[in-house]
């Protein structure tokens, strides 16, 4: 099954004659709809398929009698099991991802029988002269759960702090809608949403909101973050499900059928990382370095060529199954405003990726940076002292005393981090004299450099785990995606420093490591400038390196060098990275190695599986120009061909 | 992706460090050494102000650091003086 090069729009609105009927038409462009756009107008893109009567986009006014059936979510090739000549078939981006148009009642009946036998949800419109006369829904059979309904009701009636009460009353209908609508989907989303709801219930129920420090506000913050993500997710994903007329999507270009397919695709990317890096329990492993008390060297003095820096410290940790091991899934959604952004419980991708993710500028690979932020935030919570605890601050001050060593490996890493932060600040202030640090100063230092420390750790972490240390790909990925963000030219200096720090991880043992990292970065940036893919920021970056390497960039990179060392030695594990990077199931059969590509062809949808969605993105996000059709194909592969459970 | 406990712990740290906001001071030098509120740009080279803005409180640790290049390996690093 091959996607056509063109796409059309399915357009629905109330009939102009005032009757309660809807009129429906298929149009090659929205150009003709916009001048007569009505209050009830709803549209969605539909993608033609070569050989199935929809390869070219043209106006279809549906004169005479027709049946228009929406089915899904299913892999589109499955429709070939019952396909009849003369049917017209399109793909959509909604959970009803297949659209079948036919005229014969018997053929329609065959289609519905096939759908019922396969337990596929569908909705059929009987159309005469462009007006929808009847709507028939074939519901998918599924087990309706009582338990979550009981739990949400209990939460709604719970006695909570006043600020929480209203927030919970707003949250409950949203999660109830999300659970009710996801319950009848084939797999995945419902259990994730149930787990997220369980987290909210535990967070609100397990401790006394009034007596805790900060009152109810930390819980309120968590609740509002999840609520905001859930509202978008629910509207985007479950709009355009039965009955279509009653479930409108707020994204006007997708108001008829929603964006369920991109939502599933994004969820699969997130789930893959949760099942690999998440399952490796990196924060627990890192925290376990607090139990390593023997043979802990002085990390501030230990030379980089010592074997200790290249040992797989995380891989050596033996995790126990005691304590809490279940993880809260990240809730993913699209947002034009948030773009690529993560919190501890949610993750978003730009809305533009839906029509442009085939291009380097809008690559979904960028989401690995946000996923890295989630893990690094948790790891920083192990590294940073409790800034509101005198005892914890005092312990950090002691670690800064000359001659003091950490009692455990974790404490040594903490000590190295503290000294690194002081040096980053020294360089920033051009301070040459010793800095006197007390319990207030240390808090200011830790607060102020938290974001920068996090960014350096995230960049190196992302580079090692997701880009396999391939600097060309990494520099291209980050600089091309930064090119899409307006008004950030004042950040170019920090971006250059971060990029050189990232490249530095491959050269740590070498003399003049910083210059080698710089040269690699400059080479990559020059290539981007030559290709015309980097935009204005790349030119500025190159100029900044040329003008200010010695006086600004080099001292900043050297000051941050120990952060790079911390990631490579204590946050990276080659064993764990293998599970993230490897591809075990070839799309063309056989067992291709990590470096091999798929036999998959852009635009072709086949009933084959991929086990690593990021490997797929790496191979197929190549275009300079965004294409809605190519992007739809990629989202379809991510939504319907990913099976990482067998890997 | 994180356990409930990890989320709470990380959220607590984030509430302590605060979220950096565009247009707001991110350079610690301004917080540590006056004149208060004057933004020291990334490219700034002036650093002769030593007036402490923060009130010293309790124990003080003097931290003296320098860059060093290992004569054998060529490695550049931060060392305690």
């Amino acid at each position: 099954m091959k996607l056509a090069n063109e796409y059309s729009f399915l357009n629905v609105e109330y009939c102009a004659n005032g009757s309660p009927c809807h009129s429906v038409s298929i149009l090659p462009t929205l150009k003709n709809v916009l001048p007569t756009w009505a209050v009830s107008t709803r549209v969605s893109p539909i993608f033609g398929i070569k050989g199935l009567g929809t390869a070219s986009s043209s106006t279809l006014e549906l004169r005479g009698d027709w049946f228009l059936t929406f089915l899904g979510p299913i892999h589109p090739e499955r429709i070939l099991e019952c396909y009849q000549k003369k049917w017209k078939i399109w793909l959509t981006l909604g959970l009803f991802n297949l659209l079948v148009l036919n005229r014969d009642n018997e053929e329609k009946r065959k289609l519905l029988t096939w759908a019922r036998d396969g337990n596929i949800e569908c909705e059929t419109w009987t159309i005469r002269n462009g007006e929808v006369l009847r709507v028939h829904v074939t519901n998918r059979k599924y087990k309706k759960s009582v338990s979550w309904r009981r739990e949400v009701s209990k939460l709604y009636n719970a006695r909570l702090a006043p600020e929480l009460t209203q927030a919970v009353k707003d949250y409950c209908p949203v999660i109830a809608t999300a659970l009710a609508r996801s319950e009848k989907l084939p797999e995945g989303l419902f259990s994730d949403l149930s787990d997220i709801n369980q987290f909210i219930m535990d967070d609100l129920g397990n401790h006394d909101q009034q007596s805790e420090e900060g009152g109810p506000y930390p819980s309120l913050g968590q609740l509002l973050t999840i609520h905001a993500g859930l509202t978008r997710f629910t509207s985007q994903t479950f709009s355009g499900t039965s009955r279509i007329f009653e479930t409108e999507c707020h994204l006007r270009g997708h108001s008829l059928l929603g964006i369920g397919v991109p939502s599933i695709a994004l969820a699969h990317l997130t789930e893959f990382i949760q099942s690999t890096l998440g399952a490796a329990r990196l924060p627990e492993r890192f925290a376990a370095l607090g139990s390593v008390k023997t043979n802990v060297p002085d990390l501030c003095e230990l030379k980089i060529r010592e074997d200790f820096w290249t040992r797989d410290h995380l891989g050596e940790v033996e995790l126990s199954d005691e304590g809490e091991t279940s993880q809260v899934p990240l809730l993913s959604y699209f947002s034009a405003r948030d773009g690529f952004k993560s919190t501890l419980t949610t993750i978003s991708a730009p809305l533009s990726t839906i029509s442009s993710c085939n291009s380097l500028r809008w690559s979904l690979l960028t989401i690995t940076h946000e996923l890295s932020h989630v893990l690094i935030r948790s790891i920083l919570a192990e590294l940073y002292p409790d800034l509101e605890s005198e005892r914890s601050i005092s312990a950090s001050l002691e670690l800064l005393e000359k001659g003091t060593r950490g009692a455990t490996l974790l404490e040594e890493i903490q000590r190295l981090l503290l000294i690194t932060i002081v040096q980053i600040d020294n360089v920033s202030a051009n301070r040459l004299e010793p800095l006197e640090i007390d319990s207030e100063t240390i808090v200011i230092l830790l607060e102020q450099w938290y974001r920068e420390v996090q960014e350096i750790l995230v960049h190196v972490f992302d580079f090692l785990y997701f880009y396999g240390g391939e600097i060309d790909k990494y520099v291209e990925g980050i600089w091309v995606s930064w090119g899409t963000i307006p008004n950030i030219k004042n950040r170019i200096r920090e971006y250059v420093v971060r990029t050189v720090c990232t490249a530095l991880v491959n050269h740590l043992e070498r003399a003049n490591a910083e210059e080698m990292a710089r040269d690699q970065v400059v080479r990559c940036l020059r290539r981007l400038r030559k290709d015309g893919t980097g935009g204005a920021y790349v030119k500025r970056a190159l100029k900044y390196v040329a003008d200010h390497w010695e006086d600004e960039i080099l001292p900043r990179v050297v000051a941050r060098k120990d952060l790079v060392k911390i990631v490579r030695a204590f946050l990276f594990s080659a064993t764990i990275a293998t599970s993230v990077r490897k591809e075990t199931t070839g799309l063309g059969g056989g067992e291709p190695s990590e470096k091999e590509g798929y036999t998959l062809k852009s635009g072709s949808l086949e009933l084959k599986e991929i086990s690593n969605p990021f490997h797929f993105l790496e191979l197929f996000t190549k275009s300079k120009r965004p294409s809605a059709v190519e992007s739809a194909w990629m989202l379809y592969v991510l939504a319907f061909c990913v099976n990482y459970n067998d890997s | 992706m994180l356990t409930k406990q990890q989320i709470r712990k990380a959220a607590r740290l984030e509430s302590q460090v605060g979220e950096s906001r565009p247009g707001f001071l991110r350079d610690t030098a301004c917080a540590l050494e006056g004149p208060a509120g004057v933004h020291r740009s990334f490219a700034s080279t002036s650093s002769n102000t030593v007036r402490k803005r923060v009130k010293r409180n309790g124990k003080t640790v003097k931290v003296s650091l320098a860059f060093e290049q290992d004569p054998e390996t060529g490695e550049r690093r931060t060392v305690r003086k």
Side-chain angles (χ1 to χ4, degrees):
Chain A
M1 182 178 277
K2 189 151 174 59
L3 276 174
N5 297 327
E6 298 174 11
Y7 64 99
S8 310
F9 290 89
L10 183 62
N11 172 41
V12 170
E13 61 190 41
Y14 275 120
C15 294
N17 58 16
S19 75
C21 283
H22 285 85
S23 68
V24 55
S25 58
I26 292 167
L27 304 163
T29 164
L30 287 184
K31 212 164 49 184
N32 299 331
V33 183
L34 287 165
T36 57
W37 195 277
V39 173
S40 61
T41 303
R42 286 168 62 188
V43 295
S44 273
I46 53 174
F47 297 84
I49 301 166
K50 286 181 181 169
L52 300 185
T54 53
S56 63
S57 61
S58 57
T59 302
L60 247 174
E61 290 183 340
L62 304 174
R63 297 274 163 223
D65 291 338
W66 296 88
F67 299 103
L68 187 59
T69 302
F70 303 81
L71 306 100
I74 54 165
H75 189 294
E77 237 195 10
R78 285 192 56 199
I79 196 68
L80 299 180
E81 293 167 14
C82 67
Y83 173 71
Q84 307 278 309
K85 281 183 182 173
K86 293 186 187 170
W87 289 9
K88 288 180 184 296
I89 296 178
W90 293 267
L91 303 187
T92 85
L93 292 180
L95 283 184
F96 275 141
N97 65 302
L98 269 178
L99 196 57
V100 180
L101 183 71
N102 49 28
R103 304 198 78 153
D104 185 279
N105 198 33
E106 187 53 34
E107 288 184 353
K108 180 209 65 174
R109 211 193 313 268
K110 274 184 189 164
L111 173 64
L112 295 188
T113 304
W114 172 80
R116 199 176 297 116
D117 291 348
N119 201 20
I120 300 162
E121 179 115 339
C122 52
E123 178 171 318
T124 302
W125 297 353
T126 303
I127 297 167
R128 175 167 294 164
N129 294 328
E131 284 188 17
V132 180
L133 300 182
R134 274 187 303 279
V135 174
H136 178 264
V137 176
T138 307
N139 284 312
R140 183 174 190 274
K141 289 188 193 116
Y142 67 99
K143 199 178 167 193
K144 204 170 173 181
S145 161
V146 183
S147 61
W148 70 257
R149 289 176 168 85
R150 204 179 291 140
E151 283 162 9
V152 173
S153 305
K154 196 172 145 195
L155 179 62
Y156 189 85
N157 293 313
R159 289 184 58 150
L160 298 162
E163 286 96 333
L164 284 172
T165 305
Q166 190 53 49
V168 164
K169 290 196 186 312
D170 293 338
Y171 163 81
C172 285
V174 182
I175 189 68
T177 304
L179 287 167
R181 292 187 182 181
S182 62
E183 197 174 28
K184 59 182 183 178
L185 291 175
E187 59 190 16
L189 290 180
F190 175 74
S191 63
D192 281 356
L193 290 166
S194 298
D195 289 347
I196 290 166
N197 185 48
Q198 193 58 51
F199 167 67
I200 288 291
M201 301 217 7
D202 291 349
D203 200 47
L204 294 172
N206 281 356
H207 50 281
D208 184 346
Q209 306 292 338
Q210 293 296 344
S211 62
E212 283 216 357
E213 199 176 345
Y217 301 113
S219 293
L220 182 64
Q222 292 294 353
L223 180 61
L224 295 180
T225 300
I226 287 181
H227 186 168
L230 205 54
T231 307
R232 288 171 178 160
F233 172 80
T234 305
S235 171
Q236 293 167 0
T237 311
F238 302 117
S239 298
T241 52
S242 271
R243 292 175 173 243
I244 295 169
F245 291 145
E246 295 163 16
T247 53
E248 182 170 326
C249 181
H250 72 280
L251 302 170
R252 299 318 300 172
H254 300 275
S255 53
L256 185 62
L257 297 170
I259 51 167
V261 170
S263 291
I264 294 174
L266 191 60
H268 280 169
L269 288 175
T270 310
E271 283 164 13
F272 175 76
I273 298 303
Q274 286 173 170
S275 72
T276 49
L277 266 190
R281 294 158 62 191
L282 294 185
E284 283 121 300
R285 285 175 190 271
F286 185 74
L289 300 181
S291 307
V292 179
K293 293 177 181 166
T294 51
N295 301 323
V296 178
D298 179 339
L299 292 180
C300 300
E301 292 292 323
L302 191 68
K303 293 188 178 178
I304 191 63
R305 289 185 185 171
E306 295 293 330
D307 291 346
F308 194 81
W309 287 113
T310 49
R311 263 173 54 188
D312 188 350
H313 295 280
L314 286 189
E316 288 171 14
V317 169
E318 284 185 21
L319 289 173
S320 97
D321 286 334
E322 286 172 19
E324 187 188 29
T325 55
S326 66
Q327 296 170 346
V328 182
L330 280 174
L331 177 64
S332 56
Y333 60 91
F334 290 91
S335 169
R337 191 184 62 176
D338 290 350
F340 284 111
K341 187 179 176 182
S342 62
T343 69
L344 293 164
T345 49
T346 64
I347 190 152
S348 69
L351 207 50
S352 310
T353 54
I354 294 172
S355 58
S356 309
C357 69
N358 71 308
S359 67
L360 286 165
R361 281 186 192 284
W362 296 101
S363 171
L364 283 170
L365 276 173
T366 308
I367 210 160
T368 59
H369 183 85
E370 293 307 321
L371 290 161
S372 303
H373 267 293
V374 179
L375 289 166
I376 293 296
R377 282 183 189 119
S378 179
I379 282 163
L380 276 171
E382 301 296 336
L383 269 175
Y384 257 55
D386 183 340
L387 301 185
E388 287 165 6
S389 155
E390 277 181 30
R391 204 169 135 194
S392 186
I393 292 298
S394 182
S396 293
L397 275 175
E398 275 173 31
L399 282 177
L400 278 174
E401 297 252 26
K402 199 168 184 185
T404 304
R405 294 265 300 276
T408 66
L409 181 52
L410 182 62
E411 274 191 13
E412 257 309 281
I413 303 168
Q414 286 167 336
R415 189 169 77 91
L416 186 60
L417 174 73
L418 290 169
I419 288 172
T420 304
I421 289 174
V422 174
Q423 185 67 329
I424 290 173
D425 196 65
N426 284 342
V427 170
S428 176
N430 270 329
R431 186 190 301 114
L432 297 173
E433 67 275 22
L435 183 63
E436 287 182 26
I437 302 175
D438 69 1
S439 57
E440 287 187 27
T441 326
I442 195 169
V443 171
I444 293 173
L445 281 167
L446 288 164
E447 280 174 5
Q448 294 292 323
W449 290 108
Y450 173 77
R451 183 75 195 175
E452 175 68 359
V453 166
Q454 187 184 137
E455 284 294 347
I456 299 288
L457 297 181
V458 163
H459 275 270
V460 182
F461 184 94
D462 187 21
F463 176 58
L464 291 177
Y465 275 106
F466 298 107
Y467 289 79
E470 294 185 45
I471 195 67
D472 289 5
K473 281 182 189 168
Y474 190 75
V475 173
E476 181 180 65
I478 55 171
W479 281 91
V480 169
S481 69
W482 281 333
T484 64
I485 308 171
N487 311 324
I488 56 163
K489 69 176 182 205
N490 60 341
R491 294 192 215 158
I492 286 173
R493 289 173 298 190
E494 16 182 322
Y495 286 178
V496 166
V497 170
R498 287 177 199 169
T499 311
V500 176
C501 283
T502 307
L504 187 61
V505 75
N506 283 342
H507 304 286
L508 284 172
E509 286 84 2
R510 295 174 180 144
N512 298 320
E514 294 77 10
E515 282 77 10
M516 294 184 87
R518 174 201 62 192
D519 293 347
Q520 252 190 342
V521 171
V522 165
R523 232 178 358 257
C524 297
L525 291 176
R526 280 186 184 146
R527 189 171 51 78
L528 292 181
R529 184 177 62 182
K530 192 179 166 194
D531 293 350
T533 46
Y537 300 147
V538 166
K539 287 178 197 159
R540 284 174 184 269
L542 282 166
K543 185 168 183 334
Y544 180 54
V545 177
D547 294 349
H548 292 288
W549 171 255
E550 286 292 339
D551 63 333
E552 288 190 19
I553 304 169
L554 180 60
R556 281 173 170 80
V557 169
V558 180
R560 287 158 176 76
K561 192 173 188 175
D562 285 328
L563 297 178
V564 178
K565 287 156 71 177
I566 286 172
V567 179
R568 197 186 69 172
F570 307 114
L571 305 185
F572 178 71
S573 159
T575 325
I576 295 166
T578 305
S579 68
V580 182
R581 301 269 314 156
K582 78 175 175 183
E583 176 60 77
T584 55
T585 309
L587 273 178
E591 301 284 323
S593 70
E594 182 190 320
K595 296 286 177 193
E596 285 180 34
Y598 297 127
T599 55
L600 196 65
K601 285 181 188 158
S602 178
S604 278
L605 283 164
E606 296 171 71
L607 277 167
K608 289 174 179 171
E609 292 178 342
I610 57 170
S611 54
N612 186 333
F614 286 94
H615 188 50
F616 165 74
L617 286 178
E618 210 175 302
L619 289 169
F620 288 93
T621 311
K622 297 283 183 195
S623 297
K624 286 185 184 174
R625 288 170 64 87
S627 155
V629 173
E630 280 179 35
S631 300
W633 171 74
M634 292 184 72
L635 293 167
Y636 257 81
V637 173
L638 292 171
F640 294 105
C641 300
V642 173
N643 183 3
Y644 44 80
N645 294 324
D646 294 339
S647 60
Chain B
M1 194 153 182
L2 303 176
T3 65
K4 292 165 195 165
Q5 203 180 352
Q6 286 164 351
I7 291 171
R8 286 190 198 114
K9 194 169 181 182
R12 180 174 161 78
L13 174 63
E14 294 207 327
S15 76
Q16 291 175 354
V17 295
E19 198 174 331
S20 61
R21 296 162 64 190
F24 280 71
L25 203 59
R26 290 248 316 260
D27 195 329
T28 328
C30 302
L32 293 179
E33 302 169 332
V38 178
H39 182 66
R40 195 183 302 274
S41 82
F42 202 69
S44 168
T45 51
S46 66
S47 66
N48 52 5
T49 47
V50 288
R51 185 158 55 94
K52 305 297 181 209
R53 190 171 73 81
V54 293
K55 184 185 156 201
R56 292 296 181 212
N57 189 10
K59 185 178 175 182
T60 301
V61 180
K62 193 182 267 190
V63 181
S64 184
L65 302 172
F67 288 134
E68 180 192 82
Q69 188 157 18
D70 190 303
E72 284 173 34
T73 63
E75 182 194 358
R76 289 191 189 92
R77 56 195 191 131
T78 299
V79 290
R80 287 293 285 260
K81 282 199 293 187

